[in-house]
Amino acid sequence: MSKKRTGQRHKNKIYFEDSELDFYLQAFPLGYQTYGGATVGEVFYAASHINEKDPDSWVEEWSNLAARVEKGAARSLERGHAASARGAYLRAFTYYRTATPLLHASDPRFRATWEMMRSCFRRAAGLFDQPIEPVEIPFEGNTLPAYFLQAPGDGEKKPTMIMVGGGETYAEDLYFWGGAAAVDRGYNALLVDMPGQGATPFEGMHHRFDVEVPMGAVVDYLLGRSEVDPERVAAYGVSLGGYLVLRSAAFEKRIGACAVSTPIVDWHQALIDAMPPLLRSAPRFLFGALTKLGRLFSPTQQVAFEKFFEWQVGARDIPDALEKFRPWKVDVGEISCPVLCMVGTGEAATFKKQTYACYAALGSPKSLRVFTEEEGADAHSQATNLRLAHQAVFDFFDEVLARPETASKRRLAGGA
Amino acid sequence: MSKKRTGQRHKNKIYFEDSELDFYLQAFPLGYQTYGGATVGEVFYAASHINEKDPDSWVEEWSNLAARVEKGAARSLERGHAASARGAYLRAFTYYRTATPLLHASDPRFRATWEMMRSCFRRAAGLFDQPIEPVEIPFEGNTLPAYFLQAPGDGEKKPTMIMVGGGETYAEDLYFWGGAAAVDRGYNALLVDMPGQGATPFEGMHHRFDVEVPMGAVVDYLLGRSEVDPERVAAYGVSLGGYLVLRSAAFEKRIGACAVSTPIVDWHQALIDAMPPLLRSAPRFLFGALTKLGRLFSPTQQVAFEKFFEWQVGARDIPDALEKFRPWKVDVGEISCPVLCMVGTGEAATFKKQTYACYAALGSPKSLRVFTEEEGADAHSQATNLRLAHQAVFDFFDEVLARPETASKRRLAGGA
């Protein structure tokens, strides 16, 4: 097992020496497998052919696997076997998406892989008995890419979960991070990329601290749908989405409950805390050079950092990005809906610190869930145990969204 | 990667040095994960605490994990969260069942673990929107344990798949090996232990070559159910179930199609072929002593062999078991229904040889599917890629069970 380190996202390494690659393996194909997004044989065939020292081999093995599985999906579809095709397209989606974190945003293969990934997801989406509907939510002259999953039934008003991911997810990913679990429990789900997330920078969108503005457009959209019970709208955010959802809840009172993993209330502080001490005190003119030396972060992390800070955040360099994150704060006292705060014991110290501080400061009904190593759920965003996370999240939503109001409060007081 | 060896079941080792343990890891928790039977974090937490040299640590880690997950399931159930409880009980089932292969049949922990395993499965079974129904099929004064899964819909007559496992599966396992895939495609499924399989030796039942006799009772039972279309009954057998289904099809003409992985037509020959040359020529009085030295088979395999040959087959020793397997033959010429023959390139040579021979000898409509390493599906019974196997099996069933008869023949001729 690796030693605890800066920016740590998981502890129990299982296959790759490189901690980032091992996290991607566990979080994406192996994590999604529990909702049918992969099979162990396919995953480890690709993994066993990857040379960790060669990022291109990562990209090629996952892309080639995806293409093979996609071909099989097309064969089943041609012959009218919808469920077989759907299953294979979902796996092809996962494998293409697993290739993407090692591709720079400027690499033409990135956009091509993202397009194939999305195409596979959309083919699968249309093959569910209740098809997943791609939707575009109008926002400031642009559109936020999203998917609407309708709860089983004949379209009567149902509780609805808005799902928001992080700095490395696409709206399509959120099917595995919460969409499938929602529908299984009789919820509608809206999977959405906020500005800056996923591939929205291709459309000129960047991350913004005041995410309550686009969230307002999302809730407007949802409340215009006849399947949505306006009294039972919940939001679930993972990774950066923890902030995005928590911040939204402080302003957007139509959100009736939220679950956040993890509830970061001050991103500027979190970034400073996560930096090695040397970088923290480096003068600005040295900063870029130091980070680009690539000795402080792994080459793998370097791609992720560039893609996030430069492409998604729209910063010139990391010092500029840090400046941009100054207003990323949540006034927890403004939140009035029930909140489930979630964190893993294997996460970085700053994440744990902010989670406990947020939980303490909340004045609304609240619950704290700390996921442990023994539960196989200590990793960032509960990436290695999505089903356990969903058990906590939806059991919480079930109880706090239930009416009459008094019943939900009584249940919450009973502890989770 | 391990070298090819006697009784080989998979090639791409991913975690454990011991080939049997690595196969169990891939075939059970990691294999079942794609249908929600596990999560990567739980699996590798347990795996990382196992000492390969100590079989008890295998049993304890999986049992302890199962107990923890079961406790969480009970908490969700108490508070009325059916989907959360169902998911957790399914995972608890998988972890208890993963403990069992290392327990001798005579070990009191075996029966206790089997009972907990079954109890978890049955709790999950009752929590599906369309509950899985445990049924007991009367047979020769005893009963065959089974589960009936009804296809979605209002109970109108649907195609139905009978699923039969191998020497190391229980009827409950078959939910992952084919039951979930069947229901997803609009089939009913019957998951059944034939005499000798699963835990039926506790009821005094042993394996028998003339499995068409109990299969007759199974088909009688099915045709008595209003949800079953008698014109569209298929059977799918994995591992030893390949023989059991193929043999049944030679006699039981109400089976309209079958898929077999792998189609062993002469088990006595397969066992002889799988034995190391030294054992093959050993005089009987030396045979037992030689095998018990435990040098020829791993201690892990030794438990499996004893459980299968002594407990399930009811043989005094391995030479006696070999005698008992003499009549285990299939007269392929008697089969008149369409047959899908399946084998993995990573399986033992004798399995591949018999598969090709069976396919060549079949006079009925037939298809051959050889699963490769590149597909992540070369392991025995396609254990590491159940979804790819199910794509092949149900696409085949869809086509050959479709009516009118002429259409199905035309499609089959087009190649799969």
Side-chain angles (χ1 to χ4, degrees), chain B residues 363-384:
Chain B
S364 60
K366 60 189 176 183
S367 190
L368 173 68
R369 180 69 164 84
V370 181
F371 292 90
T372 67
E373 210 178 334
E374 197 181 40
E375 293 179 305
D378 57 316
H380 181 57
S381 302
Q382 294 72 58
T384 60

Side-chain angles (χ1 to χ4, degrees), chain A residues 1 12-15 26 30-31 33-42 44-45 48 65 68 72-73 76 79 81 83-88 91 129 184-185 373-377 383-388 390-391 394-395 398-399 411-412 414-416, chain B residues 1 12-15 26 30-31 33-42 44-45 48 65 68 72-73 76 79 81 83-88 91 129 184-185 373-377 383-388 390-391 394-395 398-399 411-412 414-416:
Chain A
M1 263 181 257
N12 191 8
K13 278 210 288 187
I14 63 173
Y15 200 78
Q26 293 197 45
L30 290 176
Q33 197 187 340
T34 195
Y35 286 109
T39 62
V40 58
E42 287 168 351
F44 284 100
Y45 176 83
S48 70
L65 172 62
R68 290 195 298 272
S76 283
R79 299 172 71 88
H81 308 297
S84 285
R86 182 216 312 145
R91 303 205 307 283
D129 293 336
D184 189 32
R185 287 160 171 88
E373 210 178 334
E374 196 180 41
E375 292 178 305
T384 60
N385 201 341
L386 296 177
R387 285 190 181 266
L388 191 68
H390 299 158
Q391 187 172 358
F394 289 96
D395 289 6
D398 284 353
E399 299 185 13
R411 274 182 221 142
L412 186 69
Chain B
M1 264 180 257
N12 191 9
K13 278 209 289 185
I14 63 173
Y15 200 80
Q26 293 197 46
L30 290 176
Q33 197 188 339
T34 196
Y35 286 109
T39 62
V40 57
E42 287 168 352
F44 284 100
Y45 176 83
S48 70
L65 172 61
R68 288 194 299 272
S76 283
R79 300 172 71 87
H81 308 298
S84 284
R86 183 216 312 145
R91 303 205 306 283
D129 293 337
D184 189 33
R185 287 160 171 87
E373 210 178 334
E374 197 181 40
E375 293 179 305
T384 60
N385 200 341
L386 295 177
R387 285 190 181 265
L388 191 69
H390 299 158
Q391 188 172 358
F394 289 96
D395 288 6
D398 283 353
E399 299 185 13
R411 274 181 222 144
L412 186 69

Side-chain angles (χ1 to χ4, degrees), chain B residues 238-256:
Chain B
V238 291
S239 196
L240 190 71
Y243 166 87
L244 299 173
V245 161
L246 200 68
R247 165 97 191 185
S248 296
F251 293 86
E252 177 50 78
K253 300 301 178 179
R254 294 172 295 179
I255 294 176

